[in-house]
């Protein structure tokens, strides 16, 4: 994917939408163009595969292209998310199929485009009778909220711990276990976060770094964060 080319096309007045792509293939810093807006959706809060929409600055917003479907049935004990994906790929293109996650004995499947219509109409899969229902994730996720916090530096371990309201030692464990990502890439404690960056922590949520409000007299920074909790 040539992100620079897609941004140029959107700046020229087009709405550009990808299929599902790996989250870590998108440079969020490159997306910070004054002429182009973007919308990233994977259905799930910390999705590994996302759909990127780029659109001109004069368009106020775009619709979310990703749906979540709950697939349930009397599956074999050997069935898991990987096997389910292989079966679904016999029916829909891979670029229209996102993350698949187990949920209380069923599977939640992210899909876009024609794949959503295919999933909605399924009654059997691999010889197993199934039920497919659309899921409204807003009923299962905590509402996002904006926080203003004061931090001594822009290091990931500092901003992450402060933003999520956990101890720095606790957050450090997640970093050491490679559970924390900065703009889709595995983060290091010493990595620095900038305006427009996305910090995600498995099992906790995501932080969108909105802006630096000011620098205090003691050399600390007051920053605005948008917090999405799992």
């Amino acid at each position: 994917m040539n992100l620079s080319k897609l941004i140029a096309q959107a700046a020229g007045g087009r709405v550009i939408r990808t299929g599902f792509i790996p989250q870590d293939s998108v440079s969020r810093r490159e997306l910070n163009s004054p002429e182009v807006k973007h919308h990233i959706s994977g259905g799930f809060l910390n999705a590994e595969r996302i759909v990127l929409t780029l659109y001109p600055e004069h368009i106020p917003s775009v619709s979310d292209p990703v749906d979540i479907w709950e697939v349930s049935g009397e599956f074999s004990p050997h069935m898991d998310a990987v096997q389910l994906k292989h079966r679904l790929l016999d029916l829909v293109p891979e670029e229209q199929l996102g993350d698949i996650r187990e949920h209380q004995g069923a599977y939640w499947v992210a899909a876009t485009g024609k794949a959503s219509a295919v999933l909605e109409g399924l009654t059997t899969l691999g010889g197993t009778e199934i039920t497919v229902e659309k899921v409204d994730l807003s009923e299962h996720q905590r509402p996002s909220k904006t926080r203003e916090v004061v931090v001594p530096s822009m290091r990931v371990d500092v901003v992450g711990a402060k933003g999520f309201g956990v101890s720095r030692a606790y957050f450090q464990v997640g970093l050491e276990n490679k559970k924390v990502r900065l703009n889709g890439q595995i983060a290091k404690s010493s990595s620095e976060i900038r305006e427009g960056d996305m910090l995600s922590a498995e099992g906790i949520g995501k932080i969108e770094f909105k802006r630096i409000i000011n620098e205090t007299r003691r050399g600390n920074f007051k920053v605005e964060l948008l917090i999405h909790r799992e």
Side-chain angles (χ1 to χ4, degrees):
M1 181 185 69
N2 188 330
L3 184 56
S4 297
K5 182 178 180 180
L6 297 182
I7 291 173
Q9 290 174 343
R14 296 175 57 189
V15 175
I16 305 297
R17 178 166 285 163
T18 70
F20 279 102
I21 55 177
Q23 181 188 163
D24 58 11
S25 69
V26 177
S27 169
R28 292 178 186 268
R29 291 174 183 173
E30 193 174 350
L31 290 176
N32 292 331
S33 167
E35 299 179 339
V36 174
K37 296 180 182 178
H38 67 274
H39 176 78
I40 293 176
S41 177
F44 302 108
L45 189 58
N46 282 319
E48 295 182 5
R49 286 166 56 78
I50 55 94
V51 172
L52 172 64
T53 306
L54 301 166
Y55 55 105
E57 192 276 335
H58 68 270
I59 296 178
S61 63
V62 292
S63 60
D64 191 324
V66 178
D67 297 317
I68 300 295
W69 300 93
E70 180 175 86
V71 179
S72 58
E74 297 296 327
F75 292 113
S76 160
H78 303 294
M79 173 65 76
D80 59 15
V82 174
Q83 292 185 18
L84 179 63
K85 181 177 181 178
H86 286 320
R87 293 188 180 184
L88 290 175
L89 287 177
D90 291 333
L91 305 172
V92 300
E94 185 172 12
E95 63 270 18
Q96 294 182 7
L97 198 62
D99 290 8
I100 299 177
R101 300 187 178 180
E102 295 185 42
H103 180 77
Q104 298 179 357
Y107 294 93
W108 282 6
V109 181
T112 191
K114 294 180 180 179
S116 282
V118 172
L119 281 165
E120 186 176 19
L122 283 181
T123 57
T124 62
L125 187 64
T128 300
E129 292 187 4
I130 61 172
T131 300
V132 180
E133 296 181 350
K134 195 171 184 179
V135 177
D136 183 356
L137 283 188
S138 64
E139 299 177 357
H140 301 270
Q141 295 176 342
R142 303 182 193 179
S144 302
K145 67 177 182 178
T146 300
R147 292 189 64 192
E148 294 181 1
V149 299
V150 176
V151 292
S153 78
M154 296 300 151
R155 284 172 54 114
V156 160
D157 55 350
V158 174
V159 177
K162 193 75 171 182
F164 287 125
V166 299
S167 72
R168 194 164 168 183
Y170 177 84
F171 198 72
Q172 180 63 35
V173 172
L175 284 160
E176 292 173 355
N177 291 327
K178 300 182 179 180
K179 302 291 186 181
V180 179
R181 290 179 176 268
L182 178 62
N183 298 326
Q185 304 286 340
I186 293 174
K188 299 179 180 179
S189 300
S190 59
S191 301
E192 290 205 348
I193 186 169
R194 305 176 189 173
E195 293 183 7
D197 284 354
M198 180 76 74
L199 185 67
S200 62
E202 188 176 320
I204 302 178
K206 293 196 301 187
I207 291 175
E208 292 183 51
F209 194 108
K210 305 302 288 185
R211 63 190 177 105
I212 298 174
I213 299 172
N214 57 46
E215 186 174 353
T216 69
R217 293 180 179 178
R218 296 184 177 182
N220 295 326
F221 301 93
K222 187 176 184 180
V223 300
E224 180 183 341
L225 310 173
L226 181 59
I227 314 296
H228 311 272
R229 297 299 295 261
E230 289 189 358

